[in-house]
Protein backbone atom coordinates (compact mmCIF):
# COMPACT_ATOMS: atom_id res chain seq x y z
CA UNK A 1 0.00 0.00 0.00
CA UNK A 2 1.41 3.42 -0.91
CA UNK A 3 1.28 6.33 1.52
CA UNK A 4 -1.44 7.85 -0.67
CA UNK A 5 -3.61 4.71 -0.35
CA UNK A 6 -3.23 4.85 3.43
CA UNK A 7 -4.74 8.28 3.71
CA UNK A 8 -8.16 8.53 5.30
CA UNK A 9 -9.41 11.36 3.16
CA UNK A 10 -11.70 13.62 5.20
CA UNK A 11 -12.42 15.86 2.23
CA UNK A 12 -13.80 12.92 0.24
CA UNK A 13 -15.99 11.71 3.11
CA UNK A 14 -17.16 15.24 3.89
CA UNK A 15 -18.15 15.70 0.22
CA UNK A 16 -20.14 12.45 0.35
CA UNK A 17 -21.91 13.51 3.57
CA UNK A 18 -22.67 16.91 2.11
CA UNK A 19 -24.11 15.34 -1.04
CA UNK A 20 -26.42 13.21 1.12
CA UNK A 21 -27.44 16.26 3.16
CA UNK A 22 -28.05 18.36 0.03
CA UNK A 23 -30.36 15.64 -1.33
CA UNK A 24 -32.27 15.53 1.95
CA UNK A 25 -32.59 19.33 2.02
CA UNK A 26 -33.91 19.29 -1.54
CA UNK A 27 -36.59 16.76 -0.53
CA UNK A 28 -37.53 18.82 2.53
CA UNK A 29 -37.70 22.02 0.52
CA UNK A 30 -39.90 20.22 -1.99
CA UNK A 31 -42.25 19.61 0.94
CA UNK A 32 -42.15 23.30 1.88
CA UNK A 33 -39.63 22.93 4.73
CA UNK A 34 -36.37 24.88 4.69
CA UNK A 35 -34.04 23.78 7.49
CA UNK A 36 -32.60 26.77 9.32
CA UNK A 37 -29.47 27.19 11.44
CA UNK A 38 -28.90 30.25 13.67
CA UNK A 39 -25.38 30.96 14.88
CA UNK A 40 -24.53 33.28 17.77
CA UNK A 41 -21.15 34.98 17.44
CA UNK A 42 -20.18 37.11 20.42
CA UNK A 43 -16.98 39.14 20.49
CA UNK A 44 -14.25 39.52 17.90
CA UNK A 45 -12.17 36.35 18.09
CA UNK A 46 -10.73 36.08 14.54
CA UNK A 47 -10.71 32.25 14.50
CA UNK A 48 -14.37 32.15 15.61
CA UNK A 49 -15.25 34.56 12.84
CA UNK A 50 -13.58 32.27 10.27
CA UNK A 51 -15.40 29.18 11.65
CA UNK A 52 -18.77 30.94 11.62
CA UNK A 53 -18.13 32.14 8.06
CA UNK A 54 -17.37 28.55 6.97
CA UNK A 55 -20.56 27.30 8.60
CA UNK A 56 -22.70 29.95 6.88
CA UNK A 57 -21.04 29.15 3.54
CA UNK A 58 -21.70 25.42 3.95
CA UNK A 59 -25.37 26.16 4.76
CA UNK A 60 -25.66 28.25 1.60
CA UNK A 61 -24.13 25.51 -0.54
CA UNK A 62 -26.53 22.87 0.77
CA UNK A 63 -29.73 24.92 0.69
CA UNK A 64 -29.95 25.39 4.47
CA UNK A 65 -31.07 28.85 5.58
CA UNK A 66 -28.62 30.43 8.00
CA UNK A 67 -28.58 33.53 10.18
CA UNK A 68 -25.61 34.84 12.13
CA UNK A 69 -26.32 36.95 15.21
CA UNK A 70 -23.26 39.11 15.85
CA UNK A 71 -22.94 40.57 19.33
CA UNK A 72 -20.24 42.87 20.70
CA UNK A 73 -17.60 41.60 23.15
CA UNK A 74 -19.34 43.70 25.81
CA UNK A 75 -22.57 41.67 25.49
CA UNK A 76 -23.95 40.76 28.91
CA UNK A 77 -24.80 37.30 30.14
CA UNK A 78 -28.44 38.36 30.27
CA UNK A 79 -28.43 39.57 26.65
CA UNK A 80 -26.94 36.27 25.50
CA UNK A 81 -29.56 34.33 27.39
CA UNK A 82 -32.40 36.51 26.06
CA UNK A 83 -31.21 35.87 22.49
CA UNK A 84 -31.12 32.11 23.11
CA UNK A 85 -34.65 32.30 24.55
CA UNK A 86 -35.84 34.13 21.43
CA UNK A 87 -34.26 31.56 19.13
CA UNK A 88 -35.77 28.74 21.20
CA UNK A 89 -39.21 30.32 20.81
CA UNK A 90 -38.85 30.96 17.06
CA UNK A 91 -40.65 28.12 15.29
CA UNK A 92 -38.67 28.68 12.08
CA UNK A 93 -35.32 28.00 13.77
CA UNK A 94 -34.22 24.35 13.67
CA UNK A 95 -30.65 24.61 14.95
CA UNK A 96 -28.93 26.96 17.41
CA UNK A 97 -25.17 27.11 17.67
CA UNK A 98 -23.38 29.38 20.12
CA UNK A 99 -19.82 29.78 18.89
CA UNK A 100 -17.25 29.24 21.63
CA UNK A 101 -15.30 30.72 23.28
CA UNK A 102 -17.66 33.41 24.59
CA UNK A 103 -16.07 36.70 25.65
CA UNK A 104 -14.14 36.44 28.93
CA UNK A 105 -16.27 36.35 32.04
CA UNK A 106 -19.42 34.94 30.36
CA UNK A 107 -20.75 31.65 31.67
CA UNK A 108 -20.83 29.41 28.59
CA UNK A 109 -22.45 26.48 30.46
CA UNK A 110 -25.35 28.71 31.48
CA UNK A 111 -25.83 29.81 27.86
CA UNK A 112 -25.49 26.33 26.36
CA UNK A 113 -27.79 24.80 28.97
CA UNK A 114 -30.48 27.26 27.92
CA UNK A 115 -30.62 26.03 24.32
CA UNK A 116 -33.67 23.89 23.55
CA UNK A 117 -32.16 20.35 23.36
CA UNK A 118 -34.20 19.74 20.18
CA UNK A 119 -32.26 22.62 18.53
CA UNK A 120 -28.87 21.82 20.09
CA UNK A 121 -26.99 20.97 16.87
CA UNK A 122 -23.62 20.97 18.67
CA UNK A 123 -24.87 18.20 20.96
CA UNK A 124 -23.42 19.89 24.07
CA UNK A 125 -26.63 20.22 26.12
CA UNK A 126 -26.67 17.91 29.18
CA UNK A 127 -29.91 16.38 27.90
CA UNK A 128 -28.23 15.29 24.66
CA UNK A 129 -25.06 14.25 26.53
CA UNK A 130 -27.28 12.00 28.67
CA UNK A 131 -29.03 10.52 25.64
CA UNK A 132 -25.65 9.75 24.06
CA UNK A 133 -24.48 8.14 27.28
CA UNK A 134 -27.54 5.89 27.25
CA UNK A 135 -27.20 5.14 23.53
CA UNK A 136 -30.56 6.77 22.78
CA UNK A 137 -31.21 8.92 19.70
CA UNK A 138 -30.41 12.61 20.13
CA UNK A 139 -28.13 15.26 18.70
CA UNK A 140 -24.45 14.34 19.07
CA UNK A 141 -21.25 16.42 18.90
CA UNK A 142 -20.13 16.99 15.33
CA UNK A 143 -16.39 16.20 15.47
CA UNK A 144 -16.63 12.72 17.00
CA UNK A 145 -19.71 12.01 14.87
CA UNK A 146 -17.58 12.92 11.85
CA UNK A 147 -14.88 10.46 12.93
CA UNK A 148 -17.49 7.70 13.24
CA UNK A 149 -18.81 8.52 9.78
CA UNK A 150 -15.26 8.48 8.36
CA UNK A 151 -14.58 5.04 9.85
CA UNK A 152 -17.93 3.72 8.62
CA UNK A 153 -17.64 5.07 5.10
CA UNK A 154 -14.01 3.87 4.79
CA UNK A 155 -15.10 0.37 5.83
CA UNK A 156 -13.03 0.30 9.02
CA UNK A 157 -14.50 -2.24 11.41
CA UNK A 158 -14.93 -0.93 14.96
CA UNK A 159 -16.86 -3.72 16.71
CA UNK A 160 -14.68 -5.84 18.94
CA UNK A 161 -11.52 -3.83 18.31
CA UNK A 162 -9.25 -2.21 20.88
CA UNK A 163 -9.53 1.57 20.56
CA UNK A 164 -7.58 4.17 22.50
CA UNK A 165 -8.84 7.77 22.64
CA UNK A 166 -6.26 10.31 23.80
CA UNK A 167 -8.17 13.22 25.35
CA UNK A 168 -11.27 13.44 27.57
CA UNK A 169 -12.83 16.79 26.68
CA UNK A 170 -16.61 17.16 26.62
CA UNK A 171 -16.41 18.27 22.98
CA UNK A 172 -14.26 15.48 21.53
CA UNK A 173 -12.70 12.84 23.79
CA UNK A 174 -15.64 11.79 25.97
CA UNK A 175 -18.34 11.71 23.27
CA UNK A 176 -15.85 9.99 20.93
CA UNK A 177 -15.24 7.24 23.46
CA UNK A 178 -18.99 6.85 24.06
CA UNK A 179 -19.79 6.57 20.34
CA UNK A 180 -17.04 3.97 19.89
CA UNK A 181 -18.33 2.05 22.91
CA UNK A 182 -21.83 1.99 21.45
CA UNK A 183 -20.26 0.72 18.21
CA UNK A 184 -18.95 -2.20 20.33
CA UNK A 185 -15.28 -1.23 20.50
CA UNK A 186 -13.25 -1.94 23.63
CA UNK A 187 -12.34 1.61 24.58
CA UNK A 188 -9.56 3.08 26.70
CA UNK A 189 -9.52 6.82 27.40
CA UNK A 190 -6.18 8.55 28.08
CA UNK A 191 -5.55 12.01 29.48
CA UNK A 192 -2.79 14.15 30.92
CA UNK A 193 -2.46 11.95 34.03
CA UNK A 194 -2.18 8.69 32.08
CA UNK A 195 1.03 6.91 33.01
CA UNK A 196 3.15 5.71 30.07
CA UNK A 197 0.88 7.00 27.33
CA UNK A 198 2.99 5.32 24.64
CA UNK A 199 2.53 1.86 26.17
CA UNK A 200 -1.25 2.33 26.46
CA UNK A 201 -1.58 3.83 22.98
CA UNK A 202 0.42 0.94 21.47
CA UNK A 203 -2.41 -1.40 22.54
CA UNK A 204 -4.72 0.31 20.08
CA UNK A 205 -5.91 -1.19 16.83
CA UNK A 206 -7.57 2.19 16.28
CA UNK A 207 -5.95 5.24 17.90
CA UNK A 208 -7.80 8.57 18.09
CA UNK A 209 -5.65 11.54 19.09
CA UNK A 210 -7.55 14.51 20.56
CA UNK A 211 -5.12 15.99 23.07
CA UNK A 212 -4.48 19.40 21.56
CA UNK A 213 -0.69 18.82 21.80
CA UNK A 214 1.35 19.22 18.64
CA UNK A 215 2.93 15.93 17.48
CA UNK A 216 2.31 14.26 20.84
CA UNK A 217 1.81 10.89 19.17
CA UNK A 218 5.07 9.52 17.74
CA UNK A 219 6.09 6.19 16.23
CA UNK A 220 6.52 4.62 19.67
CA UNK A 221 2.83 5.30 20.47
CA UNK A 222 1.56 3.33 17.48
CA UNK A 223 1.34 -0.43 16.90
CA UNK A 224 2.30 -1.69 13.47
CA UNK A 225 -0.84 -1.70 11.30
CA UNK A 226 -2.97 0.52 13.56
CA UNK A 227 -5.55 2.93 12.16
CA UNK A 228 -4.68 6.45 13.32
CA UNK A 229 -7.19 9.30 13.47
CA UNK A 230 -5.79 12.75 14.27
CA UNK A 231 -8.33 15.26 15.59
CA UNK A 232 -5.74 17.85 16.65
CA UNK A 233 -5.22 21.04 14.68
CA UNK A 234 -2.26 23.34 15.25
CA UNK A 235 -0.99 26.30 13.32
CA UNK A 236 2.79 25.95 13.16
CA UNK A 237 4.38 29.32 12.58
CA UNK A 238 8.02 28.57 13.18
CA UNK A 239 10.25 27.26 10.42
CA UNK A 240 12.44 25.05 12.61
CA UNK A 241 9.36 23.14 13.83
CA UNK A 242 8.05 22.77 10.27
CA UNK A 243 11.45 21.40 9.17
CA UNK A 244 11.58 19.03 12.15
CA UNK A 245 8.05 17.70 11.61
CA UNK A 246 8.20 17.51 7.82
CA UNK A 247 11.86 16.90 6.86
CA UNK A 248 12.41 17.14 3.12
CA UNK A 249 8.69 17.80 2.48
CA UNK A 250 8.89 20.43 -0.25
CA UNK A 251 5.11 20.87 -0.35
CA UNK A 252 4.84 21.73 3.36
CA UNK A 253 7.81 24.06 3.15
CA UNK A 254 6.26 25.73 0.09
CA UNK A 255 3.02 26.28 2.04
CA UNK A 256 5.04 27.71 4.92
CA UNK A 257 6.87 30.07 2.55
CA UNK A 258 3.68 31.36 0.97
CA UNK A 259 1.40 31.49 4.03
CA UNK A 260 3.80 31.90 6.95
CA UNK A 261 2.38 28.82 8.68
CA UNK A 262 1.32 25.22 8.11
CA UNK A 263 -1.31 23.12 9.87
CA UNK A 264 -0.27 20.01 11.76
CA UNK A 265 -1.94 17.62 14.18
CA UNK A 266 -1.49 15.80 17.47
CA UNK A 267 0.17 13.02 15.48
CA UNK A 268 3.72 13.27 14.15
CA UNK A 269 2.54 12.26 10.69
CA UNK A 270 6.00 11.74 9.17
CA UNK A 271 7.04 9.37 11.95
CA UNK A 272 3.72 7.54 12.33
CA UNK A 273 2.51 7.06 8.73
CA UNK A 274 4.98 4.23 7.94
CA UNK A 275 3.59 2.17 10.87
CA UNK A 276 -0.10 2.92 10.36
CA UNK A 277 -2.37 0.93 8.05
CA UNK A 278 -4.61 3.99 7.57
CA UNK A 279 -4.10 7.54 8.82
CA UNK A 280 -5.85 10.92 8.59
CA UNK A 281 -3.77 13.84 7.34
CA UNK A 282 -3.90 17.35 8.82
CA UNK A 283 -5.29 19.32 7.08
CA UNK A 284 -7.84 17.32 5.07
CA UNK A 285 -8.64 14.67 7.69
CA UNK A 286 -11.09 15.21 10.53
CA UNK A 287 -11.42 18.98 10.01
CA UNK A 288 -13.80 18.96 7.02
CA UNK A 289 -16.03 16.38 8.69
CA UNK A 290 -17.04 18.64 11.58
CA UNK A 291 -18.92 21.14 9.43
CA UNK A 292 -20.40 18.36 7.29
CA UNK A 293 -21.83 16.77 10.44
CA UNK A 294 -23.14 20.13 11.65
CA UNK A 295 -25.13 20.33 8.43
CA UNK A 296 -26.35 16.75 8.95
CA UNK A 297 -27.37 17.58 12.54
CA UNK A 298 -29.29 20.66 11.38
CA UNK A 299 -31.32 18.58 8.93
CA UNK A 300 -31.82 15.93 11.60
CA UNK A 301 -33.10 18.57 14.03
CA UNK A 302 -35.42 19.96 11.34
CA UNK A 303 -36.87 16.52 10.61
CA UNK A 304 -37.39 15.65 14.25
CA UNK A 305 -38.89 19.00 15.21
CA UNK A 306 -41.21 19.05 12.25
CA UNK A 307 -42.08 15.36 12.43
CA UNK A 308 -40.97 14.46 8.89
P1 LIG B 1 -9.03 20.13 25.22
O1 LIG B 1 -10.35 20.55 25.74
O2 LIG B 1 -7.82 20.96 25.48
O3 LIG B 1 -8.76 18.66 25.78
C1 LIG B 1 -7.53 18.03 25.58
C2 LIG B 1 -7.54 16.69 26.26
O4 LIG B 1 -6.28 16.06 26.01
C3 LIG B 1 -7.69 16.76 27.77
O5 LIG B 1 -8.56 15.74 28.21
C4 LIG B 1 -6.28 16.55 28.29
O6 LIG B 1 -6.20 15.86 29.53
C5 LIG B 1 -5.68 15.66 27.22
N1 LIG B 1 -4.22 15.82 27.16
C6 LIG B 1 -3.53 16.99 27.09
N2 LIG B 1 -2.21 16.74 27.06
C7 LIG B 1 -2.07 15.40 27.12
C8 LIG B 1 -0.95 14.54 27.17
N3 LIG B 1 0.30 15.01 27.13
N4 LIG B 1 -1.17 13.22 27.22
C9 LIG B 1 -2.42 12.72 27.26
N5 LIG B 1 -3.54 13.49 27.22
C10 LIG B 1 -3.35 14.81 27.17
O7 LIG B 1 -9.08 19.94 23.64
P2 LIG B 1 -10.29 19.51 22.66
O8 LIG B 1 -11.28 20.61 22.55
O9 LIG B 1 -10.76 18.14 22.98
O10 LIG B 1 -9.50 19.47 21.27
C11 LIG B 1 -8.43 18.59 21.06
C12 LIG B 1 -7.76 18.93 19.74
O11 LIG B 1 -8.69 18.74 18.70
C13 LIG B 1 -7.29 20.39 19.63
O12 LIG B 1 -6.09 20.41 18.87
C14 LIG B 1 -8.40 21.05 18.86
O13 LIG B 1 -7.94 22.16 18.12
C15 LIG B 1 -8.81 19.93 17.95
N6 LIG B 1 -10.19 20.02 17.49
C16 LIG B 1 -10.38 19.85 16.17
C17 LIG B 1 -11.67 19.88 15.66
C18 LIG B 1 -11.86 19.69 14.20
O14 LIG B 1 -12.90 20.00 13.69
N7 LIG B 1 -10.89 19.11 13.51
C19 LIG B 1 -12.76 20.09 16.49
C20 LIG B 1 -12.53 20.21 17.87
C21 LIG B 1 -11.24 20.16 18.35
P3 LIG B 1 -6.79 16.45 30.92
O15 LIG B 1 -8.28 16.23 30.83
O16 LIG B 1 -6.15 15.60 31.95
O17 LIG B 1 -6.40 17.88 30.96
Amino acid sequence: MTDQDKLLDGNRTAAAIRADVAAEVATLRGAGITPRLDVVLAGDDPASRVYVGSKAKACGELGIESHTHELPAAVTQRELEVLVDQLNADREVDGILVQLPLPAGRDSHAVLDRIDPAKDVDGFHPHNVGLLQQGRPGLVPCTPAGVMELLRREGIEVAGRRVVVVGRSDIVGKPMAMMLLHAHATVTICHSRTRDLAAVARQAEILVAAAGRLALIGADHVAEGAVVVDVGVHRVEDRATVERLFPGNAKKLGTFESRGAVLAGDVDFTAVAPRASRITPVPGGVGPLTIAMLMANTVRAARRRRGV
Side-chain angles (χ1 to χ4, degrees):
M1 191 182 250
T2 68
D3 277 359
Q4 201 59 35
D5 296 331
K6 283 185 181 185
L7 284 185
L8 285 168
D9 186 342
N11 285 319
R12 186 173 58 203
T13 298
I17 296 168
R18 281 175 182 237
D20 290 350
V21 172
E24 251 191 287
V25 173
T27 306
L28 286 171
R29 288 179 75 128
I33 295 168
T34 302
R36 172 172 158 179
L37 173 67
D38 281 51
V39 179
V40 178
L41 174 62
D44 36 29
D45 180 60
S48 291
R49 192 162 288 277
V50 172
Y51 295 144
V52 168
S54 308
K55 289 166 188 173
K57 182 165 170 271
C59 283
E61 287 164 359
L62 302 188
I64 296 172
E65 184 177 340
S66 81
H67 294 260
T68 301
H69 304 265
E70 295 198 26
L71 301 167
V75 65
T76 64
Q77 184 76 24
R78 179 81 196 120
E79 286 164 339
L80 281 165
E81 293 178 5
V82 166
L83 176 56
V84 169
D85 290 348
Q86 284 167 355
L87 297 175
N88 283 339
D90 188 335
R91 293 162 59 93
E92 297 302 314
V93 175
D94 295 298
I96 303 171
L97 185 153
V98 176
Q99 184 67 43
L100 300 177
L102 290 176
R106 307 303 175 281
D107 179 350
S108 52
H109 270 139
V111 176
L112 297 181
D113 288 0
R114 221 172 167 96
I115 295 174
D116 177 352
K119 300 186 179 188
D120 169 39
V121 285
D122 257 341
F124 296 160
H125 191 285
H127 179 84
N128 284 317
V129 174
L131 291 177
L132 171 59
Q133 166 92 8
Q134 293 185 340
R136 294 161 65 190
L139 291 165
V140 295
C142 300
T143 301
V147 172
M148 294 305 292
E149 205 53 30
L150 178 69
L151 296 174
R152 188 178 73 77
R153 292 189 188 233
E154 290 280 350
I156 294 169
E157 181 72 39
V158 171
R161 298 184 84 185
R162 286 190 306 278
V163 181
V164 173
V165 178
V166 184
R168 58 174 167 182
S169 72
D170 291 332
I171 293 173
V172 188
K174 277 189 252 177
M176 182 81 260
M178 202 48 68
M179 288 177 205
L180 289 160
L181 183 63
H182 291 313
H184 311 296
T186 300
V187 185
T188 302
I189 307 173
C190 296
H191 45 78
S192 64
R193 306 280 188 95
T194 297
R195 258 182 282 137
D196 200 350
L197 177 67
V200 181
R202 267 200 310 275
Q203 302 294 314
E205 295 171 90
I206 301 174
L207 178 63
V208 181
R213 297 281 180 275
L214 177 67
L216 172 71
I217 304 299
D220 60 338
H221 295 73
V222 178
E224 189 72 42
V227 173
V228 179
V229 176
D230 190 355
V231 180
V233 187
H234 308 272
R235 209 178 130 79
V236 185
E237 296 178 344
D238 117 79
R239 169 182 281 275
T241 307
V242 176
E243 286 174 349
R244 177 171 59 78
L245 291 178
F246 305 103
N249 186 329
K251 198 169 160 216
K252 283 279 181 190
L253 278 172
T255 304
F256 180 76
E257 295 298 346
S258 59
R259 300 195 189 158
V262 299
L263 294 182
D266 285 356
V267 174
D268 181 343
F269 186 90
T270 310
V272 167
R275 297 183 67 77
S277 59
R278 307 294 307 275
I279 184 166
T280 57
V282 177
V286 173
L289 298 167
T290 299
I291 290 187
M293 293 313 291
L294 174 65
M295 301 297 109
N297 269 357
T298 303
V299 171
R300 185 142 195 249
R303 278 192 178 286
R304 290 165 64 103
R305 285 188 60 249
R306 298 170 192 247
V308 285

